[in-house]
Amino acid sequence: MERQFTREIESLKLGDGETFHGEGILAVTKALLQSGVSYVGGYQGAPVSHLLDVMVQAKDYLDELGVHVEACTSEASAAAMLGASINYPARGAVTWKSIVGTNVAADALSYLASAGVMGGTLIVLGEDYGEGGVVAQERSHAFALKSLMWLLDPRPELGRIAELVERGFELSEASNTPVMMELRIRACHVRGSFSSKNNVPPVISTRHKLDGPPKDFIYDRLAHPPATFRQEKLKSEVRLPAARRYIAEHRLNEVFPGSERELGIVVQGGLYNGLVAALRTLGLADAFGASRIPILVLNVVYPLVPEEIVEFSQSKNALLVLEEGQPEFIEQEIATVLRRADVPAKLHGKDVMHMAGEYSAEAMVRGLAKFLGEHAPHLDATKGATWLSEVRSTREKAGQLLGPLPARPPQFCIGCPERPVFSAMKLVAKEIGRPHVSMDVGCHAFASFEPFSQGNTLLGYGMSLAAAAGVNPMSQKRAVAVMGDGGFWHNGLLSGVASSLLNRGDGVLVVMKNGYASATGTQELLSSPPEEAREAAIGASAAHADRTMESTLRGLGVKWLRTVDNYRVGSVAKAYKEAMTTAEKGLKVIVAEGECQLERQRRVRPLVAEKLKKGGRHVRVKYGVDEDTCTGDHSCIRLSGCPTLTVKDNPDPLRTDPVATVIDGCVGCGLCGENAHAAVLCPSFYRAEVVQNPTLWDRIFARVA
Ligand code: SF4
Ligand code: SF4
């Protein structure tokens, strides 16, 4: 049972003049439908997963409109889907997390950008840069520059975001170029409202189908030589000027005037709210955002319109460009524009701001104070300086009061099926030594942190086996690649497994088959358990119900293949040790099976609640530690890392070491008992059964037991 988006789906149906309330990313979703989009695709990833998740669940409504939605198996498939807009006037939108997703999609994007589009195409990018970002810290801007695709960076205000979605399609059509829209985490989650419009049923759709391929075969629509040479020229000679014309005519960028006319700030749209907060802190903007310093907000960060830059800057003494991340593409382009037009304004940017990393409001206060100190000494910046020193002293005080805080790395959910596999790997490593472990993107990467500390490299989604290909032949011990089922279907099967088979690799691959792409919100995969299995399995794992992964591996030629139940630590350790030590050559694959606990709890809880409501008997398992037996050496904690297995003061006044304890929240996954058994730990763990709605027999038994 996935998360339900019933309320969100209702808000997609709002019509003319009704008020939409919600998050930025849902505003984008609604605006796609208002724009007459014909098809939507994508690959999940924060902070844009919501778009696709909601669309997939809204299938019935989208069918009514004739909009096709596809949950693609990778960003490459999603980007290639946009090929539908090359020959047909059909609008298409796709979404994924960037930079990683854009990297995966890069090949198809290059071809798409070369061929150009007839129907508008919009690529909604979750720009995972800065605080909270979980991927390599790079910007999507470079892709826009290299392929000459346009990049929107909307000011985080719902009305503006929704309008730019519609304008994005028009811009794409006016210039025959794909348009990207980058949305940072805060823009995706900013809440607000806007006045909705009716959804527009697409002209070409699943209800109004194409009657065939284009009437005239146009070779130039193929990104294939010699057409590619002409397309390369078209980009700068025709499409770029057309885009600039559209951007200027429709005022996609915004100018906010201010009384300090000799100064100006040029800011990426997505940073605007942070800038206003910084200006307010400095006493230079009011609560509604009216600034004393004029601001040019770039809702389109590529291409820039030189005339707009010149018009904004020509009467100014100094200009500050606020552009997050490196290198400073926008600042360099503005410098060129100003120099060519002989605009004398002094240009600042990275000289007063840091080069790499996020621009928080605090960082902007610092940068603005430097800029104003040089160019506007008449403006009183003491408010900002006072605020900065207060922030500093609060931080110092907190540091003194709290002392050095323990690191709190992210970790597996309670009862996660992946934790036992790493316990088993840790146990085997004690016997045979530590191997090189190539980690992948997904929940299992939490095992890089203590107490497992496994994972020497991380090269991308589904890339772990490929990343071990160079290490393995040079290692005395087999290198181990760990991959989730999400990564397996995304890229791992071909980049890793097929490549290893082709090259007669001798490594070990552990695939965590938890049933879903869990780290991105439990989306379905090719090997997700069928619906009937999920409905039937209250007590058991539903992930065992599908064997697609195993048959695929066998079909491809994997000879050594074991499927293990994750929670049986002893059996996992046995299979893993065998894989590491067997004389048999070739790729060894362990499919470690156990349903994602997050998804399982979502699925099981309503079923259990329903059963209890009807008075049905239900048995819940919990684990505990006998504090008299616990030796206090905490080997169990070092082998498990479960947050509900922790320590408490020793109740024995003669012993000072804290004892292990299981706190509320234990879901009874059984790992504690399994670890104690497999590692021959002290016999302090006990298993308890909590019986709800007990029968008469349960009560009698409890009394006599
Ligand atoms: S989401 Fe699922 S797979 Fe991921 S850590 Fe939680 S239980 Fe484990
Ligand atoms: S049995 Fe142990 S590992 Fe499993 S949830 Fe309970 S405390 Fe955590």
Side-chain angles (χ1 to χ4, degrees):
M1 203 194 86
E2 300 151 329
R3 189 182 153 192
Q4 295 299 302
F5 295 107
T6 318
R7 194 151 19 108
E8 286 85 347
I9 292 169
E10 283 311 304
S11 64
L12 293 185
K13 299 176 184 169
L14 296 174
D16 266 346
E18 292 182 281
T19 305
F20 172 100
H21 297 280
E23 286 191 331
I25 190 63
L26 198 62
V28 172
T29 315
K30 167 69 175 140
L32 292 176
L33 301 179
Q34 294 181 176
S35 307
V37 72
S38 294
Y39 63 98
V40 179
Y43 193 83
Q44 62 271 359
V48 288
S49 286
H50 221 56
L51 192 163
L52 204 62
D53 288 348
V54 172
M55 284 276 194
V56 168
Q57 271 187 28
K59 192 172 179 318
D60 291 346
Y61 174 58
L62 298 182
D63 279 348
E64 277 173 36
L65 288 174
V67 178
H68 172 67
V69 179
E70 193 141 327
C72 304
T73 51
S74 76
E75 297 84 353
S77 346
M81 204 179 160
L82 293 175
S85 299
I86 294 176
N87 283 292
Y88 309 105
R91 288 184 170 181
V94 294
T95 185
W96 56 68
K97 179 196 205 67
S98 200
I99 191 71
V100 284
T102 315
N103 290 340
V104 174
D107 211 15
L109 287 180
S110 289
Y111 282 93
L112 182 77
S114 186
V117 294
M118 180 189 287
T121 54
L122 191 70
I123 303 157
V124 181
L125 304 173
E127 188 76 354
D128 202 21
Y129 189 85
E131 193 184 348
V134 294
V135 297
Q137 292 293 282
E138 294 181 7
R139 298 165 58 195
S140 307
H141 203 112
F143 279 93
L145 295 179
K146 83 165 178 62
S147 296
L148 268 81
M149 290 182 291
W150 318 141
L151 181 60
L152 310 181
D153 188 354
R155 180 163 62 84
E157 187 277 317
L158 260 62
R160 196 67 188 144
I161 292 175
E163 189 203 338
L164 279 162
V165 169
E166 294 181 45
R167 294 292 187 202
F169 281 116
E170 291 170 11
L171 170 64
S172 176
E173 283 156 5
S175 58
N176 304 117
T177 302
V179 171
M180 305 197 289
M181 173 183 275
E182 61 178 348
L183 294 167
R184 294 170 183 77
I185 293 175
R186 288 190 178 91
C188 284
H189 299 310
V190 71
R191 296 192 71 86
S193 55
F194 69 94
S195 179
S196 305
K197 294 187 200 164
N198 286 339
N199 293 334
V200 177
V203 186
I204 298 172
S205 71
T206 54
R207 292 187 169 267
H208 301 283
K209 299 195 178 192
L210 296 162
D211 56 5
K215 300 250 174 322
D216 303 314
F217 177 79
I218 303 174
Y219 180 80
D220 279 359
R221 296 239 164 94
L222 221 59
H224 190 254
T228 40
F229 304 114
R230 182 169 172 270
Q231 288 161 0
E232 177 66 354
K233 285 186 186 296
L234 281 176
K235 282 182 178 177
S236 51
E237 290 174 6
V238 178
R239 299 179 196 168
L240 181 63
R244 285 182 165 146
R245 229 174 5 256
Y246 180 91
I247 294 163
E249 281 171 12
H250 294 83
R251 301 197 169 280
L252 299 195
N253 297 318
E254 300 167 276
V255 174
F256 292 95
S259 53
E260 300 292 327
R261 292 203 185 88
E262 310 74 35
L263 305 174
I265 300 172
V266 183
V267 65
Q268 288 171 296
L271 299 183
Y272 174 80
N273 291 357
L275 168 63
V276 169
L279 288 168
R280 278 184 61 195
T281 305
L282 285 157
L284 297 173
D286 68 17
F288 301 98
S291 163
R292 285 178 64 182
I293 304 175
I295 303 172
L296 169 59
V297 180
L298 297 176
N299 291 310
V300 187
V301 286
Y302 184 72
L304 300 181
V305 180
E307 295 77 12
E308 286 183 352
I309 303 290
V310 170
E311 192 186 330
F312 181 73
S313 319
Q314 60 193 357
S315 59
K316 308 206 177 302
N317 295 334
L319 202 65
L320 173 64
V321 178
L322 291 174
E323 177 188 9
E324 192 174 60
Q326 60 186 339
E328 68 277 47
F329 296 116
I330 300 173
E331 189 181 334
Q332 287 178 24
E333 194 175 341
I334 290 178
T336 308
V337 169
L338 297 185
R339 184 69 196 91
R340 280 190 183 140
D342 275 337
V343 176
K346 178 115 190 262
L347 183 65
H348 293 275
K350 292 295 182 186
D351 55 341
V352 297
M353 296 294 298
H354 55 267
M355 177 63 92
E358 181 174 324
Y359 278 8
S360 62
E362 187 186 339
M364 285 199 245
V365 169
R366 266 183 238 290
L368 281 163
K370 281 188 213 161
F371 173 70
L372 296 173
E374 184 175 339
H375 294 286
H378 61 284
L379 292 177
D380 180 13
T382 46
K383 232 178 138 189
T386 311
W387 181 79
L388 284 172
S389 92
E390 281 170 6
V391 169
R392 197 169 34 245
S393 66
T394 308
R395 216 173 261 144
E396 282 166 8
K397 202 165 158 195
Q400 283 160 8
L401 288 172
L402 297 168
L405 289 172
R408 292 186 60 202
Q411 57 173 309
F412 298 109
C413 301
I414 296 164
C416 172
E418 305 191 354
R419 184 179 280 115
V421 179
F422 291 103
S423 298
M425 287 169 68
K426 201 169 171 181
L427 281 174
V428 174
K430 274 192 190 156
E431 280 184 60
I432 64 168
R434 285 181 56 207
H436 174 98
V437 177
S438 177
M439 201 50 94
D440 211 289
V441 173
C443 294
H444 48 274
F446 295 145
S448 307
F449 300 114
E450 288 177 350
F452 302 113
S453 307
Q454 295 180 31
N456 302 94
T457 51
L458 183 75
L459 267 287
Y461 198 27
M463 302 303 283
S464 60
L465 184 56
V471 179
N472 203 39
M474 301 187 295
S475 304
Q476 290 181 350
K477 219 178 300 305
R478 284 182 177 128
V480 183
V482 181
M483 193 184 288
D485 39 9
F488 177 84
W489 293 116
H490 178 269
N491 208 342
L493 181 64
L494 293 183
S495 299
V497 177
S499 189
S500 175
L501 292 170
L502 177 68
N503 292 286
R504 297 188 172 78
D506 187 35
V508 174
L509 170 66
V510 178
V511 188
M512 300 288 188
K513 186 181 158 198
N514 64 32
Y516 315 88
S518 300
T520 48
T522 61
Q523 288 82 8
E524 300 219 342
L525 301 165
L526 201 55
S527 54
S528 289
E531 202 58 52
E532 324 79 71
R534 282 181 247 178
E535 278 164 17
I538 285 201
S541 164
H544 297 236
D546 187 276
R547 291 278 169 261
T548 315
M549 186 179 285
E550 286 88 335
S551 54
T552 305
L553 286 163
R554 286 198 196 286
L556 218 56
V558 173
K559 299 275 183 302
W560 196 104
L561 176 66
R562 305 280 186 277
T563 297
V564 293
D565 178 343
N566 292 15
Y567 291 108
R568 304 277 160 258
V569 175
S571 322
V572 179
K574 188 165 168 254
Y576 178 64
K577 188 175 167 190
E578 190 191 335
M580 293 299 289
T581 53
T582 177
E584 192 176 325
K585 293 286 175 208
L587 178 65
K588 266 101 13 212
V589 184
I590 297 174
V591 176
E593 205 171 48
E595 188 179 10
C596 164
Q597 191 67 224
L598 182 69
E599 186 65 4
R600 183 170 179 275
Q601 293 298 330
R602 271 185 197 152
R603 177 172 64 76
V604 166
R605 274 193 188 140
L607 297 177
V608 172
E610 185 64 25
K611 187 176 160 194
L612 290 174
K613 209 165 120 194
K614 289 182 184 158
R617 177 181 185 270
H618 180 68
V619 180
R620 187 161 63 88
V621 174
K622 275 199 75 173
Y623 277 74
V625 176
D626 177 359
E627 53 203 34
D628 294 332
T629 318
C630 174
T631 60
D633 82 333
H634 309 144
S635 316
C636 53
I637 293 174
R638 286 192 292 278
L639 207 50
S640 150
C642 174
T644 56
L645 175 59
T646 178
V647 288
K648 69 172 185 183
D649 287 342
N650 201 319
D652 182 345
L654 299 176
R655 291 163 66 201
T656 50
D657 283 342
V659 288
T661 186
V662 176
I663 56 172
D664 259 0
C666 165
V667 294
C669 76
L671 173 60
C672 285
E674 285 287 326
N675 272 350
H677 182 68
V680 202
L681 302 180
C682 69
S684 52
F685 282 96
Y686 62 83
R687 179 182 186 274
E689 289 189 349
V690 182
V691 182
Q692 291 168 281
N693 289 341
T695 60
L696 183 61
W697 175 246
D698 287 321
R699 287 176 202 280
I700 295 168
F701 184 74
R703 274 210 194 118
V704 296

